Amino acid sequence: MTTQFPFENRIYDKAETMSPARRRGLQLKRLRDVVDRVAEVPFYKEAFARAGITPESIRSLDDLRRLPFTTKDDLRRHYPLGFLAVPRDKIARLHGSSGTTGKPTFVAYTAEDLSTWADLCARFLVAGGLRSEHMVHIAFGYGLFTGGFGLHYGVERVGAAVVPVASGNTPRQVMLIRDLRPDALVCTPSYALNIAEAVRTEGIGPGELSLKFAHLGGEPWTEDMRIQIEREMGLLAFNNYGLSEVIGPGVSGECAARCGMHIQEDHFLVECLDPDTLEPVAMGQRGELVFTTLTRQAMPVIRYRTRDIAALDEAPCPCGRTAVRMSRVVGRSDDMLIIRGVNVFPSQIEEALLRVEGTAPHYLIEVDRPGTMDEVTVRVEIRAGDFSDKMSRLQELHDRIDREIQSITGIRANVELVEPQTLERSMGKAKRVIDHRREKGLF
Ligand code: DLL
């Protein structure tokens, strides 16, 4: 039986179709190499010494389980570049993602890493229909965030044309899409919905847009959102996944069959573990994804705990790619929130509040998506004395909280000052976050 794809199924790199047995051989060799490469990184040096790990002691892929985990906290403790595995003069670029403290965790790339990264992004872009004759509108932020630059060089590697618009100013996005007639859109799924809404407001029908494909990632989304984006813009939408600490976008992406995202297993070893016991779950069961980078030079990570919950599927895929697929991310095993594509920890908001005199340590964060964009409201109880005070004092408090939240998290929140003793007190763990997006089934 031949599978009907929505377009010709093309493979960017024949490594994507190598037999699983051959790939396992390659992974083992690369695992030994990476253990060797990180041997002088202080964190791994100590952990390897404790567990008696040397490159030679890695005899099979099962030995992966003897290696230590790496967490975001570990990276933070070695801020900014304590995980660097090459001399500093070999760094070609730095990116970063927000951490729990307001300081980003940095990720370094050598020139070779940047080239590998471009190839990995090119793989999923080609799998999702991108061809050299296409033009791509990139509406991801360019900066420390890996989305903009990662996809930018991936598109260039395919040989397609890039329009590096970056995010924001939605009416201008619509104008450029209408005037330049790009074939593909690259951004977060929620921003795609926002652009779709602006398109509708301008009275442009789905059939009038030039866009054929959207390559969306950076945050969780649902099949319902896919249907809505596709219907409103008259295109095919593809999911791609990644995280800065592992490389950025390019860890996995959907092919034309759109039944899960192929993980680029020749570059990343994946495990799916029970987040409590850290034991592997059965194939097809949900667990926390843990990645080991096999080829990165500047800053490899061993068994990086993503906190992302998803399931793996190793059933053969009609596209011919042999790599295991991951499901959509269905949740996280920590409390990180993704707001308009930006990672935000409740502890960052708490830190912002602690910087402002006159706020009590009682607060509640509510996240919602009333239209297409995420909105955050932070309700803060203020101290009894302060509440009866002058309006100007309240306004001053409000503005300071607003500024601190923005400076620590990079996002704008609606700040509401509430009277003392009005927020519900909890008997056990404080409930600091209500995410209405979850109740609405938005992820
Ligand atoms: O978001 C990298 C990226 C950029 C991927 C653009 C795809 C496209 P970080 O800012 O470090 O990196 O955030 C990583 O975002 O652990 C997931 O929780 C979430 N995430 C990324 N892609 C997806 C996706 C980039 N397709 C964190 N579905 C990850 C669900 C996603 N969650």
Side-chain angles (χ1 to χ4, degrees):
M1 197 186 83
T2 55
T3 311
Q4 287 295 310
F5 290 118
F7 50 84
E8 182 211 351
N9 172 41
R10 211 179 278 177
I11 308 261
Y12 174 80
D13 184 336
K14 61 180 186 316
E16 294 172 80
T17 58
M18 72 168 58
S19 74
R22 241 191 92 208
R23 186 183 296 113
R24 277 195 292 276
L26 181 67
Q27 287 174 326
L28 178 58
K29 181 189 167 301
R30 289 181 167 176
L31 181 60
R32 283 198 196 109
D33 289 350
V34 72
V35 166
D36 191 32
R37 280 203 303 282
V38 299
E40 291 306 316
V41 172
F43 175 80
Y44 292 120
K45 189 174 183 168
E46 259 174 50
F48 288 0
R50 270 199 308 271
I53 288 155
T54 58
E56 303 73 48
S57 73
I58 308 291
R59 299 213 172 79
S60 80
L61 287 176
D62 290 339
D63 285 322
L64 179 65
R65 303 208 42 217
R66 295 172 41 225
L67 300 182
F69 288 103
T70 312
T71 63
K72 196 163 182 115
D73 262 352
D74 295 326
L75 298 183
R76 196 164 53 79
R77 270 196 289 274
H78 294 80
Y79 177 86
L81 292 172
F83 272 72
L84 201 60
V86 293
R88 212 179 145 95
D89 63 359
K90 292 279 179 280
I91 299 177
R93 196 178 322 144
L94 290 170
H95 280 284
S97 80
S98 39
T100 46
T101 59
K103 287 193 175 183
T105 42
F106 283 111
V107 195
Y109 303 76
T110 63
E112 188 183 334
D113 289 333
L114 290 177
S115 181
T116 307
W117 189 21
D119 275 328
L120 294 176
C121 289
R123 285 187 188 182
F124 77 71
L125 287 166
V126 168
L130 188 69
R131 304 292 179 252
S132 58
E133 60 272 24
H134 289 158
M135 181 184 280
V136 185
H137 178 112
I138 300 189
F140 265 137
Y142 279 69
L144 281 183
F145 176 56
T146 50
F149 282 100
L151 269 295
H152 182 104
Y153 288 102
V155 171
E156 283 197 355
R157 186 57 60 88
V158 176
V162 184
V163 192
V165 185
S167 58
N169 196 345
T170 313
R172 188 159 164 273
Q173 306 270 352
V174 177
M175 178 190 81
L176 294 175
I177 291 172
R178 204 177 37 198
D179 294 351
L180 293 172
R181 302 195 59 73
D183 303 274
L185 172 67
V186 165
C187 56
T188 55
S190 58
Y191 199 51
L193 267 182
N194 198 17
I195 294 177
E197 189 180 62
V199 164
R200 208 177 336 120
T201 311
E202 300 239 337
I204 308 169
E208 295 169 62
L209 285 183
S210 55
L211 294 169
K212 301 183 193 71
F213 304 103
H215 298 280
L216 310 176
E219 65 181 2
W221 54 311
T222 57
E223 276 309 306
D224 283 346
M225 277 176 78
R226 165 147 46 204
I227 292 166
Q228 199 181 340
I229 293 166
E230 294 192 334
R231 196 180 42 221
E232 295 197 2
M233 294 214 263
L235 46 71
L236 289 168
F238 290 82
N239 194 4
N240 69 85
Y241 164 91
L243 59 161
S244 326
E245 294 82 359
V246 171
I247 200 162
V251 175
S252 68
E254 284 180 327
C255 63
R258 304 202 292 175
C259 52
M261 296 180 273
H262 288 282
I263 295 176
Q264 320 252 27
E265 284 188 280
D266 47 336
H267 292 266
F268 311 105
L269 265 182
V270 62
E271 298 168 85
C272 189
L273 308 180
D274 178 316
D276 297 321
T277 64
L278 296 175
E279 290 298 319
V281 299
M283 186 54 70
Q285 299 298 306
R286 287 175 179 175
E288 177 181 334
L289 299 182
V290 172
F291 288 103
T292 298
T293 64
L294 293 174
T295 51
R296 278 185 56 207
Q297 304 291 319
M299 219 165 132
V301 284
I302 307 282
R303 305 191 85 194
Y304 185 74
R305 290 192 59 183
T306 64
R307 310 286 175 174
D308 288 323
I309 305 291
L312 298 180
D313 179 359
E314 60 181 1
C317 182
C319 76
R321 287 172 186 80
T322 47
V324 70
R325 283 158 291 165
M326 60 179 268
S327 67
R328 286 184 181 282
V329 172
V330 294
R332 291 190 46 91
S333 67
D334 66 5
D335 54 359
M336 186 176 91
L337 298 162
I338 305 188
I339 314 285
R340 291 173 234 128
V342 179
N343 304 346
V344 177
F345 288 89
S347 56
Q348 288 179 291
I349 298 198
E350 182 164 318
E351 194 196 332
L353 297 178
L354 287 172
R355 285 189 187 177
V356 182
E357 270 285 302
T359 60
H362 297 293
Y363 64 93
L364 181 70
I365 304 166
E366 280 193 64
V367 189
D368 203 353
R369 193 180 293 161
T372 57
M373 295 300 275
D374 298 326
E375 278 187 14
V376 186
T377 304
V378 181
R379 288 190 218 308
V380 192
E381 268 186 24
I382 57 170
R383 284 196 304 241
D386 286 299
F387 207 82
S388 53
D389 227 333
K390 292 200 297 278
M391 273 307 283
S392 59
R393 162 82 181 132
L394 287 181
Q395 188 62 45
E396 192 190 313
L397 256 184
H398 174 281
D399 294 350
R400 278 207 59 203
I401 295 173
D402 190 17
R403 277 199 305 277
E404 291 294 351
I405 292 178
Q406 217 184 329
S407 112
I408 293 184
T409 65
I411 59 150
R412 201 66 203 262
N414 309 315
V415 176
E416 280 181 19
L417 303 181
V418 299
E419 290 189 43
Q421 299 294 327
T422 44
L423 294 178
E424 199 184 327
R425 301 293 189 260
S426 77
M427 304 302 283
K429 283 188 188 204
K431 187 163 176 58
R432 300 290 197 196
V433 181
I434 300 178
D435 197 335
H436 297 291
R437 298 173 304 177
R438 190 174 292 281
E439 296 149 25
K440 290 179 177 171
L442 292 172
F443 56 83

